[in-house]
Amino acid sequence: MMNVSERLTRHARIIKDVDLRALFARDPKRGERLWLAFDNWRVDYSRHAVTDETLELLNQYAQTLDLNHWISALFSGERLNFTENRAALHTALRQPNDTPIMVDDKNIVEEIHAVKTTMRKFSEAIRIGLWKGATGKPFKTIVHIGTGGSYLGTRLICDALFQKGNMDVRFVANLDHHALDRALTGVDPESTLLVIASKTFTTEDILVNAKEACNRLAAAVRDVARVHSHHVIAVTANIKAAQDFGIPDKHILPIWPFIGGRFSLWSAVSISLALQSGYPVFEELLSGAHAMDEHVFNTPIEQNIAVQLALLDWWNSTFLARRERVLVPYAHTLGFLPEHVQQLMMESNGKRIDWYGKKLSANAPSTRPIFGGVGTTSQHTFFQWLHQGMHNAMLELIVPIAVNGHAQRIEMPAHALAQAESLMNGSDHLFAATYEPSSEETLRAARVCVGNTPSTVFLLPNLNAYHLGALLALYEHRTFIESILYRVNPFDQFGVELGKNLAPILKSAMMGQIKLDEEDTDSATLTAVDFVKKYWKG
């Protein structure tokens, strides 16, 4: 008798070449049945190659993995990051109550709430002008210095929730000095606050920018010590390193080893949002994320939006060989969402080794390339590739009807749904040409859009802080559940460290401080280093 995995494999052979239009022809009510709900959201997955049998088999497979156990383990603080012997407790950051969560015999909830209280006090004091710069001016500009997880999520939420009248927040993440130049252009140094967000407080990208920013502010307020004591907030798990940098203890907000960088936007890393929009907006973001946590923790697998979407992603990737995921939010305020999700999913599940140290199959990698862009702009870039390219992609459309309480132009949902429908249905019509083709057959062939591209459509009544929090938490839970399906650890990132550790050595060689060992260094690197030494005039 076949097990569930074998039955899924056999079922995939039958359905992998199915025409999505045929599924709708056989079941005209399909669009009314195949959708998921969360807090008035409608998540339509009817345009995917799934049948009732597919869904039944996927849910059976989820039961064989005991997904409920893994979800409970995440929330309770088990050391799921087994390669680093750590828990992964980003969900604790948005827990509103005092229910204890113990890590190393300490109740981390008390510490988390204490930091939130400090965040609120900091943001209120700065926003009303009680905390001023060294020369007595109130702050008008926040410059957030970070990279990776200490930057992407916070930039996303600040951009998504910005409204007229909020404080100006600028971001610096790139080591290229032009990034800092642009962030500081036009600002008044005396009314500028720096937020330095770095979990380790050793990342070169961040420290180089932070030191340079402090030096530039010091030119206006007379010395760096006055900048450190008045113009800097640090967010880090390495308190001593921040102290050594010169930042007073009272200006350091802690984060913890059990919070991965790409899951840290719920922590003090996002003090910049509280400064920009007010602490209540940050609390509302946490509230939405907690609502999604409650849904994922308490909802049966068959109705669990995170589980079902993760299973759908896994089905498309593993069994139907969908090679790319394309994420398109139809809201300008979500322009940074694709990049955030790209880091979240690809850094978490971009692994080649499973729990047991065995190499994963090349035909079923643990995550696919993820890219995207904001609609409607992206319709004029990569959508041509979606409609007529040689691809095997799946699409995800995020469509808010209103943003921060203001109705979107009706053209936005119209364009989103038009793309979902046309990508599925395609077209073989012969349109009138504005030029003389070589033949009618050539013109017809050039105009054909094959269709049969699957998509998931998120319809949200309103995109505000609450629903944004829920949406981002949903992507986190999907990432975690997919890691269980693929049997990989989503919480380590050893690959990220590899190049970072080599860069200082090459830097010293380029500056002529050391000579590279020619036996241990490839000729391409040696040649490139010599080229840089010749032309670098720093």
Side-chain angles (χ1 to χ4, degrees):
M1 185 175 179
M2 288 188 293
N3 60 32
V4 180
S5 181
E6 291 169 335
R7 289 165 63 197
L8 275 166
T9 301
R10 185 182 67 172
H11 177 66
R13 294 193 195 103
I14 298 169
I15 206 171
K16 69 182 181 71
D17 294 322
V18 71
D19 190 312
L20 297 175
R21 291 160 291 198
L23 293 178
F24 275 88
R26 292 201 295 266
D27 180 8
K29 300 290 186 180
R30 180 180 175 85
E32 299 175 18
R33 296 189 305 107
L34 299 185
W35 60 280
L36 300 162
F38 168 82
D39 205 349
N40 293 323
W41 297 8
R42 182 184 179 94
V43 181
D44 178 359
Y45 63 95
S46 61
R47 297 182 185 90
H48 279 270
V50 294
T51 63
D52 290 341
E53 182 181 358
T54 315
L55 299 174
E56 182 180 353
L57 288 170
L58 289 172
N59 287 322
Q60 287 179 19
Y61 186 73
Q63 296 289 357
T64 67
L65 295 179
D66 198 5
L67 271 186
N68 287 327
H69 159 75
W70 290 106
I71 292 169
S72 296
L74 176 71
F75 282 90
S76 65
E78 290 190 28
R79 296 177 183 270
L80 296 179
N81 183 356
F82 60 88
T83 57
E84 298 177 300
N85 195 29
R86 291 176 184 167
L89 275 167
H90 45 281
T91 56
L93 296 172
R94 51 233 193 189
Q95 178 179 302
N97 56 44
D98 295 323
T99 302
I101 299 176
M102 307 304 292
V103 174
D104 297 330
D105 299 322
K106 293 171 62 176
N107 180 11
I108 64 167
V109 174
E110 292 179 355
E111 295 183 22
I112 290 169
H113 285 192
V115 174
K116 287 181 184 178
T117 299
T118 304
M119 286 179 66
R120 178 178 56 79
K121 290 178 179 178
F122 278 12
S123 60
E124 289 175 352
I126 290 167
R127 284 171 60 81
I128 66 176
L130 289 178
W131 179 345
K132 295 181 174 66
T135 62
K137 288 186 178 182
F139 293 113
K140 295 181 180 178
T141 305
I142 313 299
V143 176
H144 182 111
I145 301 172
T147 196
S150 61
Y151 153 71
L152 285 167
T154 303
R155 181 189 66 170
L156 163 61
I157 60 179
C158 284
D159 195 65
L161 299 175
F162 179 82
Q163 297 194 53
K164 187 177 180 180
N166 288 347
M167 290 188 74
D168 182 19
V169 178
R170 304 182 179 195
F171 289 88
V172 183
N174 200 312
L175 194 52
D176 185 334
H177 68 85
H178 289 95
L180 183 63
D181 288 345
R182 292 184 181 185
L184 294 179
T185 296
V187 305
D188 176 6
E190 296 177 59
S191 60
T192 298
L193 178 75
L194 306 178
V195 173
I196 305 172
S198 175
K199 184 175 179 179
T200 64
F201 227 81
T202 59
T203 303
E204 186 176 41
D205 317 38
I206 299 171
L207 293 184
V208 168
N209 280 324
K211 289 175 182 176
E212 176 65 18
C214 288
N215 289 335
R216 294 197 194 183
L217 265 59
V221 302
R222 292 197 291 278
D223 66 73
V224 172
R226 283 162 61 83
V227 172
H228 291 163
S229 62
H230 290 81
H231 290 258
V232 179
I233 293 173
V235 184
T236 184
N238 190 346
I239 305 298
K240 185 179 185 306
Q243 293 169 334
D244 292 344
F245 189 89
I247 302 168
D249 290 2
K250 63 181 180 179
H251 293 176
I252 301 173
L253 293 168
I255 50 178
W256 301 272
F258 53 79
I259 305 299
R262 54 196 173 276
F263 300 92
S264 66
L265 71 91
W266 319 101
S267 72
V269 165
S270 290
I271 180 70
S272 295
L273 175 67
L275 293 169
Q276 172 196 275
S277 303
Y279 188 78
V281 173
F282 179 65
E283 278 198 320
E284 192 69 8
L285 184 87
L286 296 179
S287 179
H290 178 68
M292 181 57 71
D293 292 341
E294 290 285 285
H295 169 86
V296 172
F297 187 79
N298 294 311
T299 305
I301 281 175
E302 293 77 11
Q303 290 83 44
N304 192 310
I305 188 171
V307 172
Q308 293 301 306
L309 290 175
L311 287 169
L312 188 64
D313 290 340
W314 179 68
W315 165 250
N316 274 288
S317 178
T318 301
F319 294 93
L320 303 185
R322 294 286 173 189
R323 300 301 181 189
E324 299 89 8
R325 295 184 187 179
V326 184
L327 178 59
V328 183
Y330 274 78
H332 186 76
T333 55
L334 290 179
F336 294 120
L337 179 64
E339 193 173 356
H340 172 68
V341 173
Q342 190 178 56
Q343 187 211 16
L344 177 65
M345 290 189 160
M346 294 177 74
E347 191 167 277
S348 294
N349 292 342
K351 310 291 170 61
R352 63 191 295 272
I353 298 298
D354 69 11
W355 294 336
Y356 312 105
K358 295 181 179 179
K359 187 176 178 180
L360 297 169
S361 167
N363 294 323
S366 54
T367 193
R368 299 290 185 179
I370 298 167
F371 71 92
V374 67
T376 57
T377 311
S378 56
Q379 292 174 193
H380 301 275
T381 55
F382 56 79
F383 266 67
Q384 166 61 34
W385 173 83
L386 286 170
H387 282 288
Q388 290 189 304
M390 299 291 290
H391 66 83
N392 198 10
M394 49 185 171
L395 192 67
E396 198 155 295
L397 307 174
I398 314 294
V399 190
I401 310 307
V403 175
N404 292 319
H406 303 288
Q408 289 236 72
R409 290 174 176 166
I410 196 64
E411 289 87 353
M412 292 296 280
H415 272 271
L417 296 179
Q419 292 298 329
E421 183 174 342
S422 59
L423 282 165
M424 183 185 79
N425 289 327
S427 173
D428 58 1
H429 299 302
L430 179 63
F431 295 97
T434 57
Y435 59 91
E436 186 64 33
S438 57
S439 69
E440 184 175 306
E441 290 75 16
T442 299
L443 174 60
R444 181 178 293 279
R447 298 277 183 171
V448 166
C449 297
V450 176
N452 217 36
T453 297
S455 63
T456 307
V457 179
F458 285 70
L459 293 171
L460 280 60
N462 183 28
L463 180 69
N464 53 19
Y466 176 90
H467 289 290
L468 177 61
L471 182 66
L472 299 181
L474 172 61
Y475 277 106
E476 290 180 350
H477 286 300
R478 287 171 64 180
T479 299
F480 172 65
I481 293 165
E482 285 185 43
S483 79
I484 304 303
L485 294 167
Y486 291 109
R487 296 177 173 84
V488 297
N489 179 3
F491 300 117
D492 62 20
Q493 67 251 8
F494 298 117
V496 175
E497 305 302 321
L498 184 60
K500 286 169 60 175
N501 294 335
L502 179 59
I505 299 172
L506 297 183
K507 170 186 166 183
S508 296
M510 291 169 181
M511 296 175 69
Q513 297 171 345
I514 65 170
K515 182 175 175 59
L516 294 174
D517 188 324
E518 295 187 5
E519 292 185 3
D520 293 335
T521 309
D522 65 77
S523 59
T525 300
L526 291 170
T527 303
V529 167
D530 287 342
F531 183 90
V532 174
K533 286 173 65 176
K534 179 178 179 180
Y535 289 101
W536 185 67
K537 307 297 181 183

